[in-house]
Amino acid sequence: MFDPSPQRGPETPGEKWIVGVIAAIATALLLVELGQNFQPAKLSFLFFLLFWCPLLVLHEAGHALMAAAMGWSVDRIVIGIGKPLKRFRLGRVDVEWRLLPLEGFVSCRPKNLALPRLKNALIYFAGPGIELLLAAVILWLVGPRLLQPSNQLGLIIIQSLAATSCFSGIVNLIPFSAQTPERTIVNDGLGILLTLLTPRQQYLEQLKGMMRDREDR
């Protein structure tokens, strides 16, 4: 119900130059660090970056699957921020891939007012929850070795996947918001709190508005 992600990223030439310069500096610093006294463990940060995008897809899939399981209508899945690069349909759902795969969001709507707070809170939790579940499964499969320093490349890759998944899940559950000229955007953690703490009548009016928007389409 509360849009968890900015709808806008770098679109003007100036903004794209800024993003490009920052990315180039970060890449250069990474290469310098890897070149000095190289150890396989230094690849962890690189793997962290590589795993971010597929975990973002998993995160948004968690929201969408939970929404469908709760009987809500999933209208759109957006991966990334900024300029749209590709649009396609997955069943009845519009999927959009944007310029920078840093964040994403799922637009969904209730079909009825049965247990709306519980359902919406579960939908919000499903994104970070599926990432934390992945980290827990990896820990269960690998055991204590997952938490120990290693120079084995295979173990480093698995450790990086678990660390990235755990980091993303935890960060998304820490309540915060961002302000744009159009609206206030909340993350999953704050979305859960707002779902549970918004006055009942105000909350129901918001849900009814979402249901009317769906019927007008």
Side-chain angles (χ1 to χ4, degrees), residues 103-140:
E103 301 178 17
F105 66 91
V106 173
S107 295
C108 57
R109 302 169 187 272
K111 296 180 180 179
N112 56 61
L113 297 179
L115 301 175
R117 290 181 187 272
L118 175 61
K119 290 179 179 179
N120 202 27
L122 287 174
I123 292 169
Y124 268 119
F125 179 76
I130 197 171
E131 293 177 298
L132 294 175
L133 177 61
L134 174 61
V137 169
I138 294 174
L139 177 59
W140 177 69

PDB file of all heavy atoms in Angstrom, residues 103-140:
ATOM      1  N   GLU A 103      17.273  -0.653  -6.250  1.00  0.00           N
ATOM      2  CA  GLU A 103      16.061  -0.837  -5.462  1.00  0.00           C
ATOM      3  C   GLU A 103      14.955  -1.318  -6.393  1.00  0.00           C
ATOM      4  O   GLU A 103      15.152  -1.433  -7.598  1.00  0.00           O
ATOM      5  CB  GLU A 103      15.631   0.484  -4.801  1.00  0.00           C
ATOM      6  CG  GLU A 103      16.660   1.101  -3.891  1.00  0.00           C
ATOM      7  CD  GLU A 103      16.179   2.424  -3.318  1.00  0.00           C
ATOM      8  OE1 GLU A 103      14.961   2.692  -3.373  1.00  0.00           O
ATOM      9  OE2 GLU A 103      17.017   3.180  -2.831  1.00  0.00           O
ATOM     10  N   GLY A 104      13.805  -1.565  -5.822  1.00  0.00           N
ATOM     11  CA  GLY A 104      12.662  -1.959  -6.634  1.00  0.00           C
ATOM     12  C   GLY A 104      11.389  -1.846  -5.824  1.00  0.00           C
ATOM     13  O   GLY A 104      11.421  -1.467  -4.659  1.00  0.00           O
ATOM     14  N   PHE A 105      10.271  -2.163  -6.440  1.00  0.00           N
ATOM     15  CA  PHE A 105       9.020  -2.177  -5.699  1.00  0.00           C
ATOM     16  C   PHE A 105       7.989  -3.015  -6.437  1.00  0.00           C
ATOM     17  O   PHE A 105       8.143  -3.325  -7.623  1.00  0.00           O
ATOM     18  CB  PHE A 105       8.487  -0.765  -5.452  1.00  0.00           C
ATOM     19  CG  PHE A 105       8.063  -0.016  -6.689  1.00  0.00           C
ATOM     20  CD1 PHE A 105       6.759  -0.084  -7.140  1.00  0.00           C
ATOM     21  CD2 PHE A 105       8.973   0.760  -7.392  1.00  0.00           C
ATOM     22  CE1 PHE A 105       6.364   0.609  -8.273  1.00  0.00           C
ATOM     23  CE2 PHE A 105       8.589   1.459  -8.522  1.00  0.00           C
ATOM     24  CZ  PHE A 105       7.273   1.372  -8.969  1.00  0.00           C
ATOM     25  N   VAL A 106       6.956  -3.397  -5.695  1.00  0.00           N
ATOM     26  CA  VAL A 106       5.837  -4.164  -6.236  1.00  0.00           C
ATOM     27  C   VAL A 106       4.563  -3.385  -5.956  1.00  0.00           C
ATOM     28  O   VAL A 106       4.306  -2.994  -4.815  1.00  0.00           O
ATOM     29  CB  VAL A 106       5.758  -5.562  -5.592  1.00  0.00           C
ATOM     30  CG1 VAL A 106       4.489  -6.285  -6.042  1.00  0.00           C
ATOM     31  CG2 VAL A 106       6.993  -6.388  -5.942  1.00  0.00           C
ATOM     32  N   SER A 107       3.775  -3.134  -6.987  1.00  0.00           N
ATOM     33  CA  SER A 107       2.476  -2.482  -6.825  1.00  0.00           C
ATOM     34  C   SER A 107       1.406  -3.568  -6.732  1.00  0.00           C
ATOM     35  O   SER A 107       1.244  -4.367  -7.651  1.00  0.00           O
ATOM     36  CB  SER A 107       2.167  -1.568  -8.017  1.00  0.00           C
ATOM     37  OG  SER A 107       3.079  -0.494  -8.065  1.00  0.00           O
ATOM     38  N   CYS A 108       0.708  -3.604  -5.598  1.00  0.00           N
ATOM     39  CA  CYS A 108      -0.348  -4.590  -5.422  1.00  0.00           C
ATOM     40  C   CYS A 108      -1.541  -3.943  -4.738  1.00  0.00           C
ATOM     41  O   CYS A 108      -1.401  -2.892  -4.099  1.00  0.00           O
ATOM     42  CB  CYS A 108       0.155  -5.794  -4.626  1.00  0.00           C
ATOM     43  SG  CYS A 108       0.841  -5.384  -3.009  1.00  0.00           S
ATOM     44  N   ARG A 109      -2.696  -4.569  -4.884  1.00  0.00           N
ATOM     45  CA  ARG A 109      -3.945  -3.993  -4.373  1.00  0.00           C
ATOM     46  C   ARG A 109      -4.783  -5.084  -3.734  1.00  0.00           C
ATOM     47  O   ARG A 109      -4.828  -6.221  -4.219  1.00  0.00           O
ATOM     48  CB  ARG A 109      -4.747  -3.336  -5.505  1.00  0.00           C
ATOM     49  CG  ARG A 109      -3.999  -2.250  -6.240  1.00  0.00           C
ATOM     50  CD  ARG A 109      -4.758  -1.840  -7.498  1.00  0.00           C
ATOM     51  NE  ARG A 109      -3.962  -0.922  -8.294  1.00  0.00           N
ATOM     52  CZ  ARG A 109      -3.966   0.389  -8.135  1.00  0.00           C
ATOM     53  NH1 ARG A 109      -4.750   0.923  -7.204  1.00  0.00           N
ATOM     54  NH2 ARG A 109      -3.229   1.169  -8.889  1.00  0.00           N
ATOM     55  N   PRO A 110      -5.498  -4.749  -2.654  1.00  0.00           N
ATOM     56  CA  PRO A 110      -6.383  -5.739  -2.033  1.00  0.00           C
ATOM     57  C   PRO A 110      -7.626  -5.966  -2.876  1.00  0.00           C
ATOM     58  O   PRO A 110      -8.083  -5.077  -3.587  1.00  0.00           O
ATOM     59  CB  PRO A 110      -6.741  -5.090  -0.693  1.00  0.00           C
ATOM     60  CG  PRO A 110      -6.632  -3.621  -0.959  1.00  0.00           C
ATOM     61  CD  PRO A 110      -5.518  -3.449  -1.960  1.00  0.00           C
ATOM     62  N   LYS A 111      -8.171  -7.172  -2.796  1.00  0.00           N
ATOM     63  CA  LYS A 111      -9.430  -7.482  -3.469  1.00  0.00           C
ATOM     64  C   LYS A 111     -10.608  -7.407  -2.505  1.00  0.00           C
ATOM     65  O   LYS A 111     -11.752  -7.368  -2.935  1.00  0.00           O
ATOM     66  CB  LYS A 111      -9.359  -8.867  -4.102  1.00  0.00           C
ATOM     67  CG  LYS A 111      -8.326  -8.982  -5.217  1.00  0.00           C
ATOM     68  CD  LYS A 111      -8.323 -10.386  -5.801  1.00  0.00           C
ATOM     69  CE  LYS A 111      -7.304 -10.527  -6.919  1.00  0.00           C
ATOM     70  NZ  LYS A 111      -7.285 -11.910  -7.470  1.00  0.00           N
ATOM     71  N   ASN A 112     -10.301  -7.447  -1.202  1.00  0.00           N
ATOM     72  CA  ASN A 112     -11.349  -7.351  -0.184  1.00  0.00           C
ATOM     73  C   ASN A 112     -10.705  -6.806   1.091  1.00  0.00           C
ATOM     74  O   ASN A 112      -9.489  -6.550   1.130  1.00  0.00           O
ATOM     75  CB  ASN A 112     -12.011  -8.709   0.060  1.00  0.00           C
ATOM     76  CG  ASN A 112     -10.989  -9.780   0.437  1.00  0.00           C
ATOM     77  OD1 ASN A 112     -10.302  -9.677   1.447  1.00  0.00           O
ATOM     78  ND2 ASN A 112     -10.897 -10.800  -0.397  1.00  0.00           N
ATOM     79  N   LEU A 113     -11.487  -6.626   2.126  1.00  0.00           N
ATOM     80  CA  LEU A 113     -10.994  -6.049   3.373  1.00  0.00           C
ATOM     81  C   LEU A 113     -10.872  -7.087   4.481  1.00  0.00           C
ATOM     82  O   LEU A 113     -10.932  -6.756   5.665  1.00  0.00           O
ATOM     83  CB  LEU A 113     -11.930  -4.914   3.823  1.00  0.00           C
ATOM     84  CG  LEU A 113     -12.008  -3.722   2.857  1.00  0.00           C
ATOM     85  CD1 LEU A 113     -12.982  -2.677   3.390  1.00  0.00           C
ATOM     86  CD2 LEU A 113     -10.630  -3.121   2.636  1.00  0.00           C
ATOM     87  N   ALA A 114     -10.657  -8.350   4.112  1.00  0.00           N
ATOM     88  CA  ALA A 114     -10.473  -9.403   5.102  1.00  0.00           C
ATOM     89  C   ALA A 114      -9.033  -9.384   5.623  1.00  0.00           C
ATOM     90  O   ALA A 114      -8.090  -9.517   4.847  1.00  0.00           O
ATOM     91  CB  ALA A 114     -10.781 -10.767   4.480  1.00  0.00           C
ATOM     92  N   LEU A 115      -8.862  -9.189   6.932  1.00  0.00           N
ATOM     93  CA  LEU A 115      -7.554  -9.172   7.600  1.00  0.00           C
ATOM     94  C   LEU A 115      -6.534  -8.311   6.838  1.00  0.00           C
ATOM     95  O   LEU A 115      -5.415  -8.755   6.559  1.00  0.00           O
ATOM     96  CB  LEU A 115      -7.019 -10.600   7.743  1.00  0.00           C
ATOM     97  CG  LEU A 115      -7.885 -11.577   8.535  1.00  0.00           C
ATOM     98  CD1 LEU A 115      -7.277 -12.980   8.484  1.00  0.00           C
ATOM     99  CD2 LEU A 115      -8.014 -11.118   9.971  1.00  0.00           C
ATOM    100  N   PRO A 116      -6.861  -7.081   6.488  1.00  0.00           N
ATOM    101  CA  PRO A 116      -5.960  -6.287   5.637  1.00  0.00           C
ATOM    102  C   PRO A 116      -4.632  -5.947   6.296  1.00  0.00           C
ATOM    103  O   PRO A 116      -3.602  -5.940   5.627  1.00  0.00           O
ATOM    104  CB  PRO A 116      -6.784  -5.029   5.362  1.00  0.00           C
ATOM    105  CG  PRO A 116      -7.702  -4.909   6.530  1.00  0.00           C
ATOM    106  CD  PRO A 116      -8.052  -6.319   6.894  1.00  0.00           C
ATOM    107  N   ARG A 117      -4.637  -5.650   7.605  1.00  0.00           N
ATOM    108  CA  ARG A 117      -3.373  -5.288   8.266  1.00  0.00           C
ATOM    109  C   ARG A 117      -2.397  -6.459   8.250  1.00  0.00           C
ATOM    110  O   ARG A 117      -1.216  -6.291   7.922  1.00  0.00           O
ATOM    111  CB  ARG A 117      -3.647  -4.836   9.706  1.00  0.00           C
ATOM    112  CG  ARG A 117      -4.365  -3.504   9.837  1.00  0.00           C
ATOM    113  CD  ARG A 117      -4.545  -3.165  11.308  1.00  0.00           C
ATOM    114  NE  ARG A 117      -5.355  -1.986  11.502  1.00  0.00           N
ATOM    115  CZ  ARG A 117      -4.873  -0.745  11.529  1.00  0.00           C
ATOM    116  NH1 ARG A 117      -3.578  -0.538  11.381  1.00  0.00           N
ATOM    117  NH2 ARG A 117      -5.678   0.277  11.709  1.00  0.00           N
ATOM    118  N   LEU A 118      -2.877  -7.624   8.650  1.00  0.00           N
ATOM    119  CA  LEU A 118      -2.010  -8.806   8.683  1.00  0.00           C
ATOM    120  C   LEU A 118      -1.461  -9.116   7.298  1.00  0.00           C
ATOM    121  O   LEU A 118      -0.264  -9.372   7.129  1.00  0.00           O
ATOM    122  CB  LEU A 118      -2.790 -10.005   9.223  1.00  0.00           C
ATOM    123  CG  LEU A 118      -2.050 -11.346   9.213  1.00  0.00           C
ATOM    124  CD1 LEU A 118      -0.802 -11.274  10.071  1.00  0.00           C
ATOM    125  CD2 LEU A 118      -2.964 -12.480   9.663  1.00  0.00           C
ATOM    126  N   LYS A 119      -2.336  -9.086   6.299  1.00  0.00           N
ATOM    127  CA  LYS A 119      -1.913  -9.419   4.941  1.00  0.00           C
ATOM    128  C   LYS A 119      -0.871  -8.426   4.423  1.00  0.00           C
ATOM    129  O   LYS A 119       0.149  -8.821   3.846  1.00  0.00           O
ATOM    130  CB  LYS A 119      -3.126  -9.456   4.003  1.00  0.00           C
ATOM    131  CG  LYS A 119      -4.061 -10.630   4.266  1.00  0.00           C
ATOM    132  CD  LYS A 119      -5.245 -10.599   3.317  1.00  0.00           C
ATOM    133  CE  LYS A 119      -6.175 -11.785   3.541  1.00  0.00           C
ATOM    134  NZ  LYS A 119      -7.342 -11.757   2.633  1.00  0.00           N
ATOM    135  N   ASN A 120      -1.131  -7.128   4.627  1.00  0.00           N
ATOM    136  CA  ASN A 120      -0.192  -6.139   4.110  1.00  0.00           C
ATOM    137  C   ASN A 120       1.144  -6.188   4.844  1.00  0.00           C
ATOM    138  O   ASN A 120       2.213  -6.023   4.242  1.00  0.00           O
ATOM    139  CB  ASN A 120      -0.801  -4.735   4.214  1.00  0.00           C
ATOM    140  CG  ASN A 120      -0.166  -3.758   3.249  1.00  0.00           C
ATOM    141  OD1 ASN A 120       0.346  -4.150   2.203  1.00  0.00           O
ATOM    142  ND2 ASN A 120      -0.193  -2.487   3.588  1.00  0.00           N
ATOM    143  N   ALA A 121       1.108  -6.434   6.158  1.00  0.00           N
ATOM    144  CA  ALA A 121       2.352  -6.562   6.916  1.00  0.00           C
ATOM    145  C   ALA A 121       3.162  -7.757   6.422  1.00  0.00           C
ATOM    146  O   ALA A 121       4.393  -7.678   6.278  1.00  0.00           O
ATOM    147  CB  ALA A 121       2.046  -6.697   8.407  1.00  0.00           C
ATOM    148  N   LEU A 122       2.474  -8.864   6.132  1.00  0.00           N
ATOM    149  CA  LEU A 122       3.176 -10.043   5.614  1.00  0.00           C
ATOM    150  C   LEU A 122       3.761  -9.775   4.229  1.00  0.00           C
ATOM    151  O   LEU A 122       4.856 -10.253   3.909  1.00  0.00           O
ATOM    152  CB  LEU A 122       2.215 -11.235   5.553  1.00  0.00           C
ATOM    153  CG  LEU A 122       1.840 -11.857   6.905  1.00  0.00           C
ATOM    154  CD1 LEU A 122       0.767 -12.924   6.718  1.00  0.00           C
ATOM    155  CD2 LEU A 122       3.071 -12.447   7.589  1.00  0.00           C
ATOM    156  N   ILE A 123       3.033  -9.014   3.413  1.00  0.00           N
ATOM    157  CA  ILE A 123       3.553  -8.672   2.081  1.00  0.00           C
ATOM    158  C   ILE A 123       4.824  -7.842   2.201  1.00  0.00           C
ATOM    159  O   ILE A 123       5.806  -8.074   1.494  1.00  0.00           O
ATOM    160  CB  ILE A 123       2.478  -7.929   1.263  1.00  0.00           C
ATOM    161  CG1 ILE A 123       1.319  -8.876   0.922  1.00  0.00           C
ATOM    162  CG2 ILE A 123       3.069  -7.361  -0.032  1.00  0.00           C
ATOM    163  CD1 ILE A 123       0.093  -8.184   0.360  1.00  0.00           C
ATOM    164  N   TYR A 124       4.805  -6.865   3.104  1.00  0.00           N
ATOM    165  CA  TYR A 124       6.007  -6.060   3.322  1.00  0.00           C
ATOM    166  C   TYR A 124       7.167  -6.913   3.839  1.00  0.00           C
ATOM    167  O   TYR A 124       8.309  -6.759   3.419  1.00  0.00           O
ATOM    168  CB  TYR A 124       5.716  -4.946   4.334  1.00  0.00           C
ATOM    169  CG  TYR A 124       5.274  -3.654   3.711  1.00  0.00           C
ATOM    170  CD1 TYR A 124       4.020  -3.115   3.989  1.00  0.00           C
ATOM    171  CD2 TYR A 124       6.098  -2.955   2.851  1.00  0.00           C
ATOM    172  CE1 TYR A 124       3.602  -1.924   3.421  1.00  0.00           C
ATOM    173  CE2 TYR A 124       5.698  -1.766   2.276  1.00  0.00           C
ATOM    174  CZ  TYR A 124       4.448  -1.256   2.566  1.00  0.00           C
ATOM    175  OH  TYR A 124       4.046  -0.079   1.990  1.00  0.00           O
ATOM    176  N   PHE A 125       6.868  -7.819   4.755  1.00  0.00           N
ATOM    177  CA  PHE A 125       7.932  -8.623   5.362  1.00  0.00           C
ATOM    178  C   PHE A 125       8.513  -9.654   4.396  1.00  0.00           C
ATOM    179  O   PHE A 125       9.672 -10.060   4.532  1.00  0.00           O
ATOM    180  CB  PHE A 125       7.405  -9.344   6.610  1.00  0.00           C
ATOM    181  CG  PHE A 125       8.434 -10.211   7.273  1.00  0.00           C
ATOM    182  CD1 PHE A 125       9.452  -9.653   8.039  1.00  0.00           C
ATOM    183  CD2 PHE A 125       8.402 -11.594   7.118  1.00  0.00           C
ATOM    184  CE1 PHE A 125      10.416 -10.455   8.627  1.00  0.00           C
ATOM    185  CE2 PHE A 125       9.359 -12.399   7.707  1.00  0.00           C
ATOM    186  CZ  PHE A 125      10.375 -11.832   8.478  1.00  0.00           C
ATOM    187  N   ALA A 126       7.726 -10.078   3.417  1.00  0.00           N
ATOM    188  CA  ALA A 126       8.139 -11.166   2.541  1.00  0.00           C
ATOM    189  C   ALA A 126       9.413 -10.858   1.771  1.00  0.00           C
ATOM    190  O   ALA A 126      10.216 -11.765   1.507  1.00  0.00           O
ATOM    191  CB  ALA A 126       7.018 -11.508   1.562  1.00  0.00           C
ATOM    192  N   GLY A 127       9.638  -9.589   1.395  1.00  0.00           N
ATOM    193  CA  GLY A 127      10.846  -9.234   0.641  1.00  0.00           C
ATOM    194  C   GLY A 127      12.112  -9.490   1.451  1.00  0.00           C
ATOM    195  O   GLY A 127      12.948 -10.326   1.087  1.00  0.00           O
ATOM    196  N   PRO A 128      12.296  -8.767   2.582  1.00  0.00           N
ATOM    197  CA  PRO A 128      13.462  -9.037   3.416  1.00  0.00           C
ATOM    198  C   PRO A 128      13.417 -10.430   4.024  1.00  0.00           C
ATOM    199  O   PRO A 128      14.471 -11.049   4.243  1.00  0.00           O
ATOM    200  CB  PRO A 128      13.393  -7.955   4.497  1.00  0.00           C
ATOM    201  CG  PRO A 128      12.003  -7.445   4.476  1.00  0.00           C
ATOM    202  CD  PRO A 128      11.517  -7.619   3.071  1.00  0.00           C
ATOM    203  N   GLY A 129      12.224 -10.948   4.275  1.00  0.00           N
ATOM    204  CA  GLY A 129      12.112 -12.265   4.883  1.00  0.00           C
ATOM    205  C   GLY A 129      12.692 -13.363   4.021  1.00  0.00           C
ATOM    206  O   GLY A 129      13.373 -14.269   4.519  1.00  0.00           O
ATOM    207  N   ILE A 130      12.469 -13.300   2.704  1.00  0.00           N
ATOM    208  CA  ILE A 130      12.987 -14.345   1.830  1.00  0.00           C
ATOM    209  C   ILE A 130      14.512 -14.269   1.728  1.00  0.00           C
ATOM    210  O   ILE A 130      15.199 -15.288   1.575  1.00  0.00           O
ATOM    211  CB  ILE A 130      12.321 -14.265   0.427  1.00  0.00           C
ATOM    212  CG1 ILE A 130      12.528 -15.575  -0.320  1.00  0.00           C
ATOM    213  CG2 ILE A 130      12.869 -13.092  -0.384  1.00  0.00           C
ATOM    214  CD1 ILE A 130      11.719 -15.668  -1.601  1.00  0.00           C
ATOM    215  N   GLU A 131      15.069 -13.066   1.869  1.00  0.00           N
ATOM    216  CA  GLU A 131      16.520 -12.928   1.869  1.00  0.00           C
ATOM    217  C   GLU A 131      17.124 -13.480   3.156  1.00  0.00           C
ATOM    218  O   GLU A 131      18.158 -14.169   3.128  1.00  0.00           O
ATOM    219  CB  GLU A 131      16.898 -11.455   1.696  1.00  0.00           C
ATOM    220  CG  GLU A 131      16.542 -10.901   0.331  1.00  0.00           C
ATOM    221  CD  GLU A 131      16.861  -9.433   0.195  1.00  0.00           C
ATOM    222  OE1 GLU A 131      16.289  -8.619   0.937  1.00  0.00           O
ATOM    223  OE2 GLU A 131      17.700  -9.088  -0.662  1.00  0.00           O
ATOM    224  N   LEU A 132      16.500 -13.191   4.296  1.00  0.00           N
ATOM    225  CA  LEU A 132      16.978 -13.739   5.566  1.00  0.00           C
ATOM    226  C   LEU A 132      16.829 -15.260   5.592  1.00  0.00           C
ATOM    227  O   LEU A 132      17.683 -15.967   6.151  1.00  0.00           O
ATOM    228  CB  LEU A 132      16.207 -13.110   6.730  1.00  0.00           C
ATOM    229  CG  LEU A 132      16.442 -11.611   6.937  1.00  0.00           C
ATOM    230  CD1 LEU A 132      15.530 -11.079   8.038  1.00  0.00           C
ATOM    231  CD2 LEU A 132      17.907 -11.334   7.286  1.00  0.00           C
ATOM    232  N   LEU A 133      15.766 -15.755   4.968  1.00  0.00           N
ATOM    233  CA  LEU A 133      15.587 -17.205   4.880  1.00  0.00           C
ATOM    234  C   LEU A 133      16.701 -17.836   4.059  1.00  0.00           C
ATOM    235  O   LEU A 133      17.231 -18.906   4.422  1.00  0.00           O
ATOM    236  CB  LEU A 133      14.230 -17.518   4.259  1.00  0.00           C
ATOM    237  CG  LEU A 133      13.924 -19.009   4.036  1.00  0.00           C
ATOM    238  CD1 LEU A 133      13.919 -19.760   5.359  1.00  0.00           C
ATOM    239  CD2 LEU A 133      12.584 -19.182   3.312  1.00  0.00           C
ATOM    240  N   LEU A 134      17.072 -17.199   2.951  1.00  0.00           N
ATOM    241  CA  LEU A 134      18.166 -17.713   2.132  1.00  0.00           C
ATOM    242  C   LEU A 134      19.458 -17.779   2.940  1.00  0.00           C
ATOM    243  O   LEU A 134      20.183 -18.788   2.894  1.00  0.00           O
ATOM    244  CB  LEU A 134      18.358 -16.836   0.899  1.00  0.00           C
ATOM    245  CG  LEU A 134      19.574 -17.167   0.015  1.00  0.00           C
ATOM    246  CD1 LEU A 134      19.471 -18.582  -0.528  1.00  0.00           C
ATOM    247  CD2 LEU A 134      19.705 -16.154  -1.118  1.00  0.00           C
ATOM    248  N   ALA A 135      19.765 -16.710   3.682  1.00  0.00           N
ATOM    249  CA  ALA A 135      20.976 -16.699   4.506  1.00  0.00           C
ATOM    250  C   ALA A 135      20.939 -17.809   5.554  1.00  0.00           C
ATOM    251  O   ALA A 135      21.943 -18.476   5.817  1.00  0.00           O
ATOM    252  CB  ALA A 135      21.142 -15.336   5.177  1.00  0.00           C
ATOM    253  N   ALA A 136      19.765 -18.028   6.154  1.00  0.00           N
ATOM    254  CA  ALA A 136      19.632 -19.076   7.170  1.00  0.00           C
ATOM    255  C   ALA A 136      19.816 -20.467   6.562  1.00  0.00           C
ATOM    256  O   ALA A 136      20.450 -21.343   7.172  1.00  0.00           O
ATOM    257  CB  ALA A 136      18.261 -18.974   7.845  1.00  0.00           C
ATOM    258  N   VAL A 137      19.270 -20.674   5.369  1.00  0.00           N
ATOM    259  CA  VAL A 137      19.422 -21.969   4.697  1.00  0.00           C
ATOM    260  C   VAL A 137      20.892 -22.230   4.368  1.00  0.00           C
ATOM    261  O   VAL A 137      21.401 -23.345   4.553  1.00  0.00           O
ATOM    262  CB  VAL A 137      18.559 -22.020   3.426  1.00  0.00           C
ATOM    263  CG1 VAL A 137      18.906 -23.245   2.577  1.00  0.00           C
ATOM    264  CG2 VAL A 137      17.080 -22.040   3.788  1.00  0.00           C
ATOM    265  N   ILE A 138      21.592 -21.198   3.888  1.00  0.00           N
ATOM    266  CA  ILE A 138      23.020 -21.361   3.582  1.00  0.00           C
ATOM    267  C   ILE A 138      23.793 -21.712   4.849  1.00  0.00           C
ATOM    268  O   ILE A 138      24.662 -22.592   4.846  1.00  0.00           O
ATOM    269  CB  ILE A 138      23.576 -20.076   2.939  1.00  0.00           C
ATOM    270  CG1 ILE A 138      22.936 -19.849   1.566  1.00  0.00           C
ATOM    271  CG2 ILE A 138      25.097 -20.169   2.788  1.00  0.00           C
ATOM    272  CD1 ILE A 138      23.312 -18.534   0.918  1.00  0.00           C
ATOM    273  N   LEU A 139      23.500 -21.022   5.959  1.00  0.00           N
ATOM    274  CA  LEU A 139      24.169 -21.314   7.229  1.00  0.00           C
ATOM    275  C   LEU A 139      23.886 -22.751   7.664  1.00  0.00           C
ATOM    276  O   LEU A 139      24.779 -23.455   8.142  1.00  0.00           O
ATOM    277  CB  LEU A 139      23.707 -20.340   8.297  1.00  0.00           C
ATOM    278  CG  LEU A 139      24.269 -20.565   9.718  1.00  0.00           C
ATOM    279  CD1 LEU A 139      25.785 -20.485   9.718  1.00  0.00           C
ATOM    280  CD2 LEU A 139      23.668 -19.553  10.690  1.00  0.00           C
ATOM    281  N   TRP A 140      22.644 -23.197   7.492  1.00  0.00           N
ATOM    282  CA  TRP A 140      22.275 -24.564   7.872  1.00  0.00           C
ATOM    283  C   TRP A 140      23.020 -25.594   7.014  1.00  0.00           C
ATOM    284  O   TRP A 140      23.464 -26.635   7.519  1.00  0.00           O
ATOM    285  CB  TRP A 140      20.771 -24.735   7.725  1.00  0.00           C
ATOM    286  CG  TRP A 140      20.298 -26.127   8.028  1.00  0.00           C
ATOM    287  CD1 TRP A 140      20.272 -26.753   9.245  1.00  0.00           C
ATOM    288  CD2 TRP A 140      19.791 -27.074   7.073  1.00  0.00           C
ATOM    289  NE1 TRP A 140      19.769 -28.037   9.110  1.00  0.00           N
ATOM    290  CE2 TRP A 140      19.466 -28.256   7.798  1.00  0.00           C
ATOM    291  CE3 TRP A 140      19.563 -27.031   5.697  1.00  0.00           C
ATOM    292  CZ2 TRP A 140      18.943 -29.385   7.176  1.00  0.00           C
ATOM    293  CZ3 TRP A 140      19.040 -28.154   5.082  1.00  0.00           C
ATOM    294  CH2 TRP A 140      18.740 -29.311   5.816  1.00  0.00           C
TER     295      TRP A 140
END
